[in-house]
Amino acid sequence: MNVAKVVEEQVFQGQGVSPGIAFAYLRAVEDETWERPSLYRISEQEVASEQRRFKKAIERTITELEQVTEELADFSGQEESAIFEVHKLLLEDTKLINQVITGIEDRQQNAEYVFYAVVHNYTEAFKKTNDKFLQDKAADMVDIGTRVLKNFTPDKSPHEHLDEEGDDIILVAYDLTPSQAILIQNYPIKAFVAEQGSGTSHAAILAKTFDIPFVVGIDNVQTHFTSLSFAIVDGDSGKVIVNPTQETIATYKALQKNKDKARAKLQKIKDKKSQTKDGVELVLSANIEFEEDIEHVLNSGAQGVGLLRSEFFLLQNQRVIPNEEKQLSFYAGLAEQLTPETITIRTLDAGGDKLPAVANLKSEANPFLGWRGIRVSLDHQDLFKQQVKAILRTSLTGRVKMMFPLISHWEQLMDCKQIVEQCKQELKNEGIELPYEVPIGMMVEVPSAVMMIEEMANEVDFFSIGSNDLIQYTTAVDRGNSKVAHLYQSAHPAILRMIDKTVKAGIQSGIPTSMCGEMAGNLNLLPLVLGLGVDELSVSPNTILKVKAAIASLDMQDCKNLVKQALTMHDGTSIYEMSNKMATASYPKWLLV
Ligand code: PEP
Ligand code: MG
């Protein structure tokens, strides 16, 4: 008798880092890795063409390595580029080349496979020695081996397994990178699931911008999940339900209906001011990454853009950073659409878990403590000046502000200001008169800057608190590592005290403080954020209306009292619970679905 196999519903509990519900098919993202290619036999007549294919792949790789070496030498100096010089030399090793050429003929096997086998033999032998130099060389060989394999089929997209026109999918990855997250622009992706990651990882920030659910922290996702299984992703509760029953599907459809109703309610407050129950007004602006986001901003009733993460535009084409004119046209285009509101443009913040400033840059041991943010710009002042000039010239079209990421040292701020002055002078010499003084601000996201905040307040026109990084650097918790996510506490007393210190320094010097990290859009923490006295909240466009509704139901005086008490407390968990309690007691029920 033929018994049909019953596929059971399986529920996986992770952490929801971007809300929403999606119904779609699981699909693993394929990484480019050093894996054994398929083996097939070739005929005697095919030997020559197979050898030619191999030589072509080597040629392509050498050209690619020359290009990378040149770019790196321009961008980050000789040391990094030397790595790729060595890779090129390894490929030019005639012994290795000849072994592959003769191997194809002797074994009558396909070129990729023979190449893989030859390199594999070398790397295994190197790894077994006690010689550190040879062990390192093994890693280098794997790296170039991967490159060569990719160059056998240079036109094959690494995402060929995804179908632009196919069924809706849930992208599953070990650790979703921002470049994988932006695949959503070309593929019918409805949710993300990953083993690694957290609410402030940049992939999560993108998921929120795209308004799709994202669940992280599910162990062994790629082995547990069978590709193409149907699943529900619940980004609010952090559940992924694989092979859901009809009953579960019906429950989630009903939940989604309620969410849609809440959305419709929110639309009604779009044109209302953002103010507390007792009439205190706040600026509520949006965080954006892409040009397409501007439409969401305009539809959300946001008061301008409080954070443009310019790196997503600057690094989208990894080979060339757009020049001053191209940047100007991008920034001015956004500023024009936002008029009369302001756009706050943050200068390049590459590195960390975002795209590196240079394609193919060797990974750093501690990327969040490495070559990121303003450090990259100050090492490449030619590129930095192009960006500063483009931002300054945006003032000819609309209202613009400029701010610098990851300021940790006084000298950095001084250097940035000096460069801005130089740029203004050079523009003047070119006959370009700027219509007003573009406000210059800094991100407050490193504890060393907070400890110097009173002095820094005298040097800038505004502060913007980057809580994502401020929490990471203050508590020494990698913002993208789910293993330590429980220690990543926004309501940690040290964080509240740092924000308090920053706001007070701002008031003392007569400058406003905004907050653009994810903490600003977290409704459970809103009573604390309001009570701390920030002047502006910048959140993802899809969160604007929820935050506006939440603000309207809170009383500023209560929030201030709450903060007064929180500042005397020692544990973040209790502070969080206190804030959450006030939030749930104040918000309308429909906002909590
Ligand atoms: C932050 O650190 O809070 C911030 C807004 O910057 P990013 O998330 O881009 O590092
Ligand atoms: Mg930051």
Side-chain angles (χ1 to χ4, degrees):
M1 195 175 64
N2 222 346
V3 182
K5 197 172 158 208
V6 180
V7 199
E8 281 193 14
E9 174 178 296
Q10 282 180 295
V11 181
F12 295 87
Q13 183 67 56
Q15 188 201 349
V17 293
S18 174
I21 299 169
F23 306 80
Y25 295 90
L26 297 165
R27 203 78 172 89
V29 72
E30 279 179 15
D31 300 322
E32 282 170 16
T33 46
W34 177 236
E35 272 173 12
R36 184 156 56 91
S38 10
L39 160 70
Y40 53 91
R41 290 192 68 78
I42 53 167
S43 66
E44 223 177 304
Q45 291 78 2
E46 285 171 309
V47 167
S49 70
E50 211 53 19
Q51 290 169 331
R52 272 199 302 278
R53 268 194 344 109
F54 167 60
K55 286 187 189 151
K56 199 87 206 133
I58 295 286
E59 274 166 30
R60 282 192 200 107
T61 311
I62 289 178
T63 314
E64 196 177 290
L65 287 171
E66 279 167 353
Q67 237 169 4
V68 175
T69 314
E70 210 173 290
E71 279 167 23
L72 269 176
D74 284 355
F75 212 100
S76 65
Q78 298 300 330
E79 210 177 304
E80 281 84 359
S81 67
I83 298 163
F84 293 97
E85 280 286 2
V86 173
H87 285 192
K88 197 175 134 225
L89 289 178
L90 284 172
L91 274 191
E92 285 166 352
D93 176 353
T94 42
K95 192 166 155 217
L96 184 140
I97 303 283
N98 285 339
Q99 271 178 311
V100 180
I101 296 284
T102 47
I104 295 173
E105 185 166 9
D106 295 347
R107 304 188 213 166
Q108 289 192 14
Q109 291 173 338
N110 57 313
E112 290 98 325
Y113 185 82
V114 177
F115 169 74
Y116 175 84
V118 169
V119 174
H120 183 71
N121 285 345
Y122 273 113
T123 54
E124 289 307 297
F126 290 162
K127 277 193 224 158
K128 284 187 189 123
T129 65
N130 285 328
D131 184 334
K132 174 88 182 64
F133 172 78
L134 287 181
Q135 286 171 351
D136 285 350
K137 201 165 158 186
D140 282 329
M141 290 202 72
V142 166
D143 204 0
I144 53 168
T146 312
R147 232 179 235 282
V148 173
L149 283 186
K150 192 183 73 194
N151 275 326
F152 270 98
T153 44
D155 299 330
K156 185 175 164 223
S157 146
H159 307 297
E160 200 166 69
H161 62 297
L162 301 179
D163 184 355
E164 282 177 42
E165 318 246 299
D167 288 329
D168 289 348
I169 55 173
I170 298 161
L171 205 62
V172 180
Y174 171 71
D175 185 5
L176 194 78
T177 63
S179 5
Q180 287 165 341
I182 59 178
L183 286 173
I184 197 173
Q185 293 172 323
N186 300 319
Y187 299 97
I189 298 170
K190 299 296 169 211
F192 299 129
V193 178
E195 186 163 337
Q196 284 291 316
S198 72
T200 57
S201 62
H202 284 99
I205 289 170
L206 290 172
K208 279 182 236 179
T209 304
F210 298 137
D211 201 14
I212 68 166
F214 185 12
V215 171
V216 300
I218 296 184
D219 288 342
N220 304 316
V221 265
Q222 277 155 317
T223 40
H224 278 335
F225 290 177
T226 313
S227 237
L228 298 185
S229 302
F230 186 71
I232 300 173
V233 178
D234 177 352
D236 296 80
S237 70
K239 284 193 174 68
V240 179
I241 302 146
V242 182
N243 303 317
T245 59
Q246 286 309 322
E247 206 181 335
T248 309
I249 294 177
T251 309
Y252 271 95
K253 290 264 177 208
L255 193 59
Q256 193 168 43
K257 226 178 190 169
N258 284 343
K259 280 181 180 290
D260 291 345
K261 274 190 202 151
R263 252 177 214 255
K265 274 204 171 106
L266 286 172
Q267 274 307 317
K268 296 197 181 121
I269 59 167
K270 184 180 153 227
D271 299 318
K272 288 216 164 110
K273 276 191 201 156
S274 80
Q275 61 178 21
T276 59
K277 217 159 105 184
D278 46 345
V280 181
E281 273 185 47
L282 266 97
V283 178
L284 192 50
S285 55
N287 292 346
I288 63 167
E289 285 84 34
F290 303 101
E291 190 163 14
E292 302 84 70
D293 299 337
I294 211 77
E295 202 186 308
H296 297 295
V297 178
L298 297 172
N299 290 335
S300 71
Q303 291 160 275
V305 166
L307 167 65
L308 167 70
R309 289 186 165 94
S310 68
E311 51 278 6
F312 286 90
F313 164 68
L314 295 178
L315 304 176
Q316 65 191 354
N317 175 354
Q318 281 279 279
R319 292 246 167 258
V320 255
I321 289 195
N323 63 17
E324 182 183 327
E325 295 308 319
K326 287 202 180 112
Q327 288 190 47
L328 173 63
S329 113
F330 176 65
Y331 304 144
L334 298 178
E336 189 171 17
Q337 293 184 70
L338 286 170
T339 299
E341 302 291 355
T342 301
I343 179 164
T344 307
I345 303 176
R346 179 176 70 184
T347 61
L348 178 70
D349 186 14
D353 68 338
K354 278 181 275 204
L355 299 171
V358 179
N360 300 310
L361 188 70
K362 258 243 175 281
S363 57
E364 298 173 289
N366 287 304
F368 275 119
L369 301 182
W371 204 49
R372 85 167 277 222
I374 201 65
R375 302 166 186 187
V376 175
S377 296
L378 289 174
D379 282 348
H380 290 286
Q381 298 196 6
D382 42 345
L383 288 172
F384 188 34
K385 280 172 76 176
Q386 287 186 25
Q387 181 168 31
V388 169
K389 284 185 184 172
I391 298 174
L392 290 171
R393 289 172 65 191
T394 302
S395 64
L396 290 156
T397 307
R399 301 299 307 178
V400 62
K401 292 186 196 171
M402 164 167 25
M403 66 180 176
F404 308 115
L406 210 77
I407 297 286
S408 54
H409 293 58
W410 176 260
E411 299 89 312
Q412 292 171 332
L413 185 57
M414 293 303 109
D415 288 348
C416 287
K417 286 184 65 177
Q418 197 187 355
I419 287 168
V420 172
E421 284 315 307
Q422 255 177 36
C423 289
K424 280 186 189 162
Q425 191 54 49
E426 285 174 22
L427 288 176
K428 200 168 181 183
N429 297 345
E430 288 167 35
I432 301 175
E433 288 290 339
L434 303 175
Y436 59 89
E437 286 289 333
V438 173
I440 305 295
M442 62 175 261
M443 296 280 294
V444 180
E445 49 184 355
V446 186
S448 59
V450 179
M451 295 311 288
M452 306 265 308
I453 207 73
E454 287 82 10
E455 289 86 345
M456 294 202 174
N458 292 327
E459 299 295 331
V460 289
D461 300 310
F462 66 97
F463 287 142
S464 185
I465 298 174
S467 54
N468 305 337
D469 279 316
L470 186 62
I471 300 166
Q472 143 164 283
Y473 294 127
T474 304
T475 56
V477 177
D478 179 339
R479 64 193 261 188
N481 186 340
S482 55
K483 282 241 169 6
V484 285
H486 60 290
L487 296 173
Y488 186 95
Q489 276 186 350
S490 310
H492 191 299
I495 300 300
L496 302 189
R497 291 174 201 192
M498 288 207 184
I499 298 172
D500 182 55
K501 188 168 159 62
T502 305
V503 171
K504 285 186 176 143
I507 294 173
Q508 187 76 25
S509 294
I511 62 166
T513 297
S514 94
M515 181 186 280
C516 61
E518 294 307 293
M519 189 174 171
N522 184 332
L523 297 195
N524 300 329
L525 296 167
L526 195 62
L528 289 172
V529 172
L530 293 190
L532 282 161
V534 292
D535 303 281
E536 174 175 346
L537 299 179
S538 190
V539 303
S540 87
N542 303 308
T543 318
I544 293 272
L545 290 175
K546 279 190 198 159
V547 175
K548 195 187 271 189
I551 290 176
S553 67
L554 288 167
D555 186 281
M556 184 59 100
Q557 201 46 54
D558 290 347
C559 296
K560 286 207 178 300
N561 293 340
L562 184 84
V563 166
K564 210 165 166 192
Q565 194 184 344
L567 288 173
T568 65
M569 291 166 67
H570 298 170
D571 75 299
T573 313
S574 306
I575 301 177
Y576 178 85
E577 277 164 11
M578 216 168 67
S579 176
N580 191 23
K581 203 166 149 204
M582 180 182 278
T584 30
S586 314
Y587 301 159
K589 289 254 165 331
W590 57 264
L591 189 60
L592 299 169
V593 294

